[in-house]
């Protein structure tokens, strides 16, 4: 999730306590990542791509 405003903190904490893996993303970095992958027209596809890359990176 993007770390915008303050609402992300409560949600991230709640989900982590339930056992979910939570990743916090800097909004500026997410913006630049999206610009670099402009061929991704659907936001959900972009989120899936980012999640897959984070999972792959952390699995090693």
């Amino acid at each position: 999730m993007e770390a915008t405003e303050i609402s992300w903190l409560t949600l991230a904490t709640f989900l982590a306590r339930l056992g979910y893996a939570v990743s916090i993303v800097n909004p500026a970095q997410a913006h630049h990542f999206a610009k670099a992958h402009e061929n991704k027209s659907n936001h959900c596809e972009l989120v899936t791509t980012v999640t897959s890359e984070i999972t792959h990176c952390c699995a090693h």
Side-chain angles (χ1 to χ4, degrees):
M1 74 179 54
E2 287 186 354
T4 54
E5 302 291 323
I6 192 71
S7 59
W8 67 270
L9 183 58
T10 303
L11 180 58
T13 303
F14 175 74
L15 293 172
R17 287 183 179 163
L18 289 177
Y20 290 95
V22 178
S23 297
I24 307 302
V25 179
N26 179 319
Q29 290 176 323
H31 173 77
H32 293 296
F33 184 89
K35 284 292 204 180
H37 293 84
E38 284 182 345
N39 61 336
K40 297 287 186 186
S41 60
N42 185 327
H43 180 72
C44 292
E45 290 176 11
L46 179 60
V47 170
T48 301
T49 301
V50 172
T51 304
S52 296
E53 289 183 15
I54 290 171
T55 303
H56 177 72
C57 176
C58 295
H60 291 98

